[in-house]
Amino acid sequence: MDTAARAGETAQTLDRGLRLLHLVADAPGGLTVTEAANRLGIGRAAVYRLVGALTAHGMLRRDGAGRLRLGLGVLHLARRAQPLLAEGALPALRRLAEQAGATAHLTVVEGGEGVALAVVEPSWTSFHVAYRTGSRHPLERGAAGRAILAGRAGAAGPVSTSGELESGACGVAAPVLGVPGLEASVGVVSLAPLDLDVVGAQVATAATAIAAALS
């Protein structure tokens, strides 16, 4: 086999491995080898070879029923990428916090929940919400999570909520769209009601800026 043929075979194997990871990630109940082979359009023997290599690197694992699930190696890579995401979002978050006079945050999906990946507090306000990086909440509660769900449905506009996560806290958020592999929202949270027209436009602008920075 010549060099070009070997390179083509290697690229095909890599493509299949990445497709397999995506298939498993999109299957909450895991996949059997047969299901994976059918969806990839390849033989079971080829899937077993892919599984062996990906398992050795911690990217896949088998559960008690033998179904394929993501391994801890994927989580490790995701955590290594998170600081890069936060760094890319910080300039837009700083502008948003100063404009709105409220605590700005970038929230990403992790394990089916919303996680505050980056938080910036305004510098000029007497009082503002203290929002801890790493805070988790259901996607169905709070502006940040609801904006992510709206983004899944193709809606890009800002979402507002009041008192869903903390009594008296108001939030406005918009989804960050157009970044492959990323489900996220950017928003602000305040102790006082927020003008959706004004703050909503600021949040939407920040979401667009962050999407451009991370693309």
Side-chain angles (χ1 to χ4, degrees):
M1 183 182 296
D2 60 25
T3 301
R6 284 196 297 269
E9 183 176 302
T10 299
Q12 182 185 61
T13 300
L14 177 59
D15 176 71
R16 287 174 173 176
L18 292 173
R19 288 168 57 203
L20 177 58
L21 286 175
H22 281 288
L23 286 174
V24 175
D26 290 337
L31 287 178
T32 66
V33 169
T34 298
E35 290 170 339
N38 289 338
R39 296 186 189 185
L40 289 172
I42 61 177
R44 285 164 48 89
V47 173
Y48 276 116
R49 288 193 293 272
L50 293 173
V51 170
L54 291 169
T55 299
H57 288 280
M59 299 298 166
L60 286 180
R61 64 180 177 85
R62 288 177 178 270
D63 63 16
R67 299 180 71 83
L68 302 175
R69 296 183 180 272
L70 292 181
L72 292 178
V74 174
L75 181 60
H76 175 69
L77 287 178
R79 287 177 174 168
R80 292 288 294 272
Q82 285 182 350
L84 299 177
L85 294 176
E87 182 179 349
L90 282 176
L93 290 178
R94 291 192 185 102
R95 287 193 298 271
L96 177 60
E98 295 301 302
Q99 289 173 342
T103 301
H105 54 83
L106 174 69
T107 297
V108 299
V109 175
E110 183 179 280
E113 295 181 303
V115 181
L117 184 61
V119 176
V120 175
E121 298 177 357
S123 65
W124 56 270
T125 55
S126 298
F127 301 97
H128 53 259
V129 174
Y131 192 41
R132 181 168 51 84
T133 301
S135 297
R136 291 178 171 269
H137 57 79
L139 295 179
E140 297 79 13
R141 293 174 55 196
R146 290 186 181 276
I148 290 171
L149 294 177
R152 287 180 180 176
V159 175
S160 65
T161 59
S162 178
E164 289 195 355
L165 292 178
E166 293 291 340
S167 178
C170 302
V172 175
V176 177
L177 302 176
V179 183
L182 178 68
E183 282 194 301
S185 69
V186 59
V188 294
V189 57
S190 171
L191 295 171
L194 297 163
D195 186 323
L196 181 58
D197 290 335
V198 175
V199 178
Q202 295 168 345
V203 166
T205 298
T208 301
I210 289 173
L214 299 181
S215 297

